Amino acid sequence: MTAYHRMATLREPWSAWSKPLLTVFAAFASYVIMASALLVTVVLLLALVPGVNVALGVTSGDPASPLDVGLALAMGALWLPAGLIGVRAGGWRPIATAFSVAAHRRSVLSTPAALAVIAGGVITVGVAALAGSLAPVEAGPDAPGPSTGAVLALVLVTAVLAPLQVAGLELTMRGLVMQALGTWLRSPVLPILAAMGIVLIGREWSAAVLIPALTLAACAGILAWKSGGLELPFLLTLTTTVVGILTSGLAVGTGIGSGAAAMVAASAAPGSSNAALAGGAPASAALAGGIAGAVALVVGTAVACVLIGRRDGLTLAEPVTRAADEPLPPIVAV
């Protein structure tokens, strides 16, 4: 019986002492190269725009700006090819072994646990927005809302790029990191903690951001271990990201928007402009939203774990595993 974080131990060549180090190095090195190329390309293209050089403000983190949000999501989407490179070139094993214990993408969308996770993501952002609206904030000048064109562009870039970012983050931050440490460790505790620690890199170090960010990372790691794959963590992070971005963008400058912005920063890719609160977000509203959202995440994850246990006849401390008699995934030749 093999748990998700131990998938790299299925074959001896995959679990050599150097493979976890090579896997992580290949992923992070390739991400740095691709992210640098993307930023240079964007800045050069924006420098050609006549009039004001908007390249200076491209990473300002405006939640209502399709350009800012789009670049942040594009930066996060680069974790997808980086993770694929890490598993395939660094770990030298089939990429499907990072997806689930079945070594392929499973159809879980219609399961009760998946529906609970999706609902939990929506409720999390809703609770965060509500808490932000109830927090005491100083009244400021009314900010103009985004135009219809900006809203449509925001929806478009979010719909296209958010799934790519989330797939990359889950593959790299949960799959790759947890399985790398799982090569050496039987317990899932340290692999999950390591995946939590990575979210601290390139993220705003405020309680409003770190509390929900660490909670989301812990919940995603637990769901990956419990369900035996990345499908449920993907659904949780994707729902939180999409609903959070749209809520904070449409309600920018309000307590509702600030509460939702805390969840956007929590689910954003490390180092992107979305990983920090926008400059105008009231701190008290963001903190209230972050704490409330973290509590909602814990409750939703607990419900999903219970549903997984009921479906598969598992206790709360037992994960979905790969059966010992299942054929091993094929060896990678080239």
Side-chain angles (χ1 to χ4, degrees):
M1 307 292 280
T2 305
Y4 174 73
H5 68 292
R6 298 279 291 168
M7 284 293 288
T9 65
L10 288 177
R11 289 188 181 274
E12 187 175 348
W14 302 345
S15 57
W17 69 269
S18 60
K19 287 301 173 67
L21 301 177
L22 290 173
T23 300
V24 173
F25 174 79
F28 282 80
S30 58
Y31 175 78
V32 169
I33 294 171
M34 289 185 289
S36 300
L38 174 63
L39 285 175
V40 170
T41 301
V42 170
V43 171
L44 290 177
L45 289 176
L46 291 176
L48 300 177
V49 176
V52 179
N53 184 1
V54 294
L56 296 177
V58 72
T59 57
S60 62
D62 182 359
S65 168
L67 181 61
D68 279 21
V69 173
L71 179 58
L73 290 174
M75 289 282 291
L78 294 178
W79 283 111
L80 181 55
L84 296 175
I85 292 172
V87 174
R88 182 62 180 77
W92 209 251
R93 55 188 170 96
I95 293 171
T97 57
F99 294 155
S100 70
V101 292
H104 60 74
R105 288 184 293 272
R106 302 170 299 180
S107 179
V108 301
L109 189 58
S110 61
T111 63
L115 298 177
V117 163
I118 294 172
V122 175
I123 293 172
T124 292
V125 178
V127 168
L130 177 61
S133 69
L134 298 177
V137 297
E138 295 182 5
D142 292 335
S147 64
T148 302
V151 171
L152 293 177
L154 182 64
V155 172
L156 178 62
V157 298
T158 302
V160 172
L161 294 176
L164 298 177
Q165 170 181 284
V166 174
L169 291 178
E170 294 307 319
L171 175 62
T172 306
M173 305 303 170
R174 247 68 67 184
L176 188 148
V177 171
M178 287 179 60
Q179 289 185 352
L181 285 176
T183 305
W184 301 321
L185 305 170
R186 290 187 176 276
S187 170
V189 175
L190 285 181
I192 292 175
L193 290 176
M196 291 173 60
I198 289 180
V199 306
L200 300 176
I201 301 173
R203 198 173 305 274
E204 178 181 323
W205 278 52
S206 67
V209 174
L210 292 185
I211 290 174
L214 290 171
T215 304
L216 178 60
C219 291
I222 291 171
L223 285 174
W225 166 78
K226 181 67 177 179
S227 66
L230 297 179
E231 300 91 349
L232 295 188
F234 172 83
L235 292 174
L236 176 63
T237 307
L238 178 63
T239 307
T240 304
T241 300
V242 171
V243 178
I245 287 175
L246 297 181
T247 303
S248 63
L250 293 175
V252 61
T254 67
I256 292 175
S258 298
M263 300 312 303
V264 174
S267 60
S272 68
S273 59
N274 278 355
L277 296 172
S284 59
L287 178 59
I291 294 174
V295 173
L297 282 171
V298 172
V299 174
T301 300
V303 171
C305 288
V306 170
L307 292 174
I308 294 170
R310 288 181 178 178
R311 182 195 65 186
D312 294 285
L314 303 169
T315 66
L316 196 59
E318 290 180 318
V320 175
T321 57
R322 182 183 180 87
D325 58 352
E326 286 192 55
L328 293 177
I331 296 176
V332 173
V334 179

